[in-house]
Amino acid sequence: HMLARQHAQQPFGRQLVEKRRQPSPDADIDAPEAWDISTGSSNVVIAVIDSGIAYDHPDLAPNIWTNPGEIAGDGIDNDGNGFVDDIHGWDFLMNDSDPMDPIDLNPGGNPGHGTHVAGIIAGAGNNGTGITGVMWKARLMALKAGGVNGSLS
């Protein structure tokens, strides 16, 4: 009796799965239409709290935030915010000023989740290289809070 009931329900379940797989028309963020209005602004700072950002990545380097109140490498908290030499953000995992996402695409390596997220947000656009983010221009602040193994600080 139970098996007959499950079998009778199975086609309905398949229909639900098949229906969910079909994309809805125009189910995207309409980025090209939005870019006709604005491609972002370097006055906008977006903090990415993740595994860090590979701030030397060619699609991200033009949009990496630089702390205007710090002097790089002088060992002094110039802006008085409690973080010494926080030039591009902060690494809360190691408690230091280098929030680099150490990308290693080898098997078992770090795929660069924070860098990927940063690229979606503000990969430099219309530059003939790589990818384009939702915002072509913005300042990305790297706040490293997670390790390569998914641990959090």
Side-chain angles (χ1 to χ4, degrees):
H1 184 323
M2 180 71 140
L3 185 59
R5 194 175 338 153
Q6 286 176 342
H7 181 72
Q9 292 174 350
Q10 191 175 16
F12 178 71
R14 269 197 223 137
Q15 289 173 357
L16 285 177
V17 170
E18 288 172 9
K19 191 169 192 169
R20 286 185 192 146
R21 288 184 187 159
Q22 296 174 8
S24 300
D26 198 33
D28 58 31
I29 63 170
D30 291 329
E33 293 86 346
W35 294 332
D36 287 340
I37 298 166
S38 174
T39 56
S41 168
S42 58
N43 294 323
V44 175
V45 178
I46 301 168
V48 177
I49 306 169
D50 206 302
S51 62
I53 297 175
Y55 45 81
D56 58 353
H57 189 287
D59 273 326
L60 301 177
N63 288 339
I64 295 297
W65 172 79
T66 299
N67 186 344
E70 285 290 340
I71 299 169
D74 69 354
I76 299 170
D77 179 15
N78 304 104
D79 61 4
N81 68 356
F83 301 101
V84 176
D85 292 337
D86 55 320
I87 303 303
H88 299 303
W90 193 256
D91 179 347
F92 289 93
L93 195 64
M94 300 304 293
N95 197 31
D96 65 30
S97 62
D98 188 12
M100 177 61 80
D101 190 5
I103 297 175
D104 176 4
L105 298 179
N106 292 308
N110 174 31
H113 189 269
T115 299
H116 184 98
V117 169
I120 291 169
I121 295 168
N126 205 27
N127 62 359
T129 185
I131 57 106
T132 296
V134 174
M135 296 178 71
W136 296 2
K137 294 176 282 197
R139 293 290 169 232
L140 294 163
M141 179 191 298
L143 299 180
K144 186 172 185 175
V148 173
N149 63 358
S151 64
L152 296 174
S153 61

